[in-house]
Amino acid sequence: GTTAVSVAHDMSNGIVDRFRSMPITGSSFMVGHIVASIVRNLIATSLVIGVALLVGWRPTGGVLDWVAAVGVVLLFILAISWFAAAAGLLAGNPEAANGFTMILMFLPYVSTAFVPADTLPSWLRGFAEHQPVTPIIETLRGLWMGTPIGHQAWWAIAWCVGIISVSAPAAAWLLSHRTSK
């Protein structure tokens, strides 16, 4: 949500108009927000992993598993950052952008992050099994803990690439549309 709010804030406060009067490319605004989001989320993820290790989490994955896990995390952060940027541009103000991306906070709760899908009520199980967070969680769990990944890694990559494929062009179009007025 932070990326969406900061994009919406910048759009509503006229900073983009100031940038347009400077000798910078139009995409610099969006790339800056995406890079900042990636750095911010990598730091947050590293802190969470560090605390987990301190309180007793003992992953069994090897170096290549960790490299792959970092790749999945980076791809997911990139996808969510582009989605949030598009949401921020679509929203009229920072408050609306924050509300628009609130749904992202709830996806892990209806995934397999906390409980196996087969323990969920049948009406919720289908959603939990077919949303973007579940294959990402299962892929990371498999890489870090040595559990079977199966086809989950492919689904995780497909979800992330799909989100980026829709969100990045949407954000670019929304930015050009909102700044051409």
Side-chain angles (χ1 to χ4, degrees):
T2 305
T3 301
V5 172
S6 64
V7 168
H9 178 268
D10 288 351
M11 292 302 294
S12 64
N13 285 337
I15 195 162
V16 174
D17 292 332
R18 286 183 226 130
F19 287 154
R20 287 177 50 202
S21 69
M22 302 167 98
I24 60 173
T25 63
S27 62
S28 300
F29 168 77
M30 195 57 59
V31 170
H33 277 288
I34 298 300
V35 169
S37 176
I38 290 169
V39 169
R40 188 173 45 248
N41 283 294
L42 280 177
I43 290 169
T45 301
S46 299
L47 288 172
V48 169
I49 290 171
V51 169
L53 290 167
L54 286 173
V55 298
W57 179 52
R58 297 295 174 251
T60 59
V63 173
L64 290 178
D65 294 322
W66 275 86
V67 169
V70 168
V72 171
V73 168
L74 271 170
L75 188 61
F76 181 63
I77 290 171
L78 184 63
I80 294 304
S81 296
W82 275 112
F83 178 81
L89 288 164
L90 191 59
N93 57 54
E95 294 79 19
N98 193 35
F100 196 62
T101 57
M102 276 299 251
I103 194 162
L104 295 176
M105 287 181 25
F106 294 104
L107 285 178
Y109 297 108
V110 287
S111 72
T112 59
F114 302 108
V115 297
D118 59 359
T119 64
L120 295 170
S122 60
W123 61 270
L124 187 57
R125 185 177 311 136
F127 180 77
E129 292 175 338
H130 299 97
Q131 55 117 327
V133 176
T134 293
I136 292 164
I137 293 294
E138 292 304 322
T139 300
L140 293 173
R141 184 177 286 136
L143 291 168
W144 283 326
M145 303 308 294
T147 59
I149 297 172
H151 61 279
Q152 294 295 332
W154 295 113
W155 278 111
I157 292 167
W159 269 110
C160 290
V161 169
I163 291 168
I164 294 167
S165 298
V166 171
S167 298
W173 183 84
L174 286 165
L175 180 64
S176 69
H177 178 70
R178 292 215 33 208
T179 57
S180 66
K181 292 179 179 179

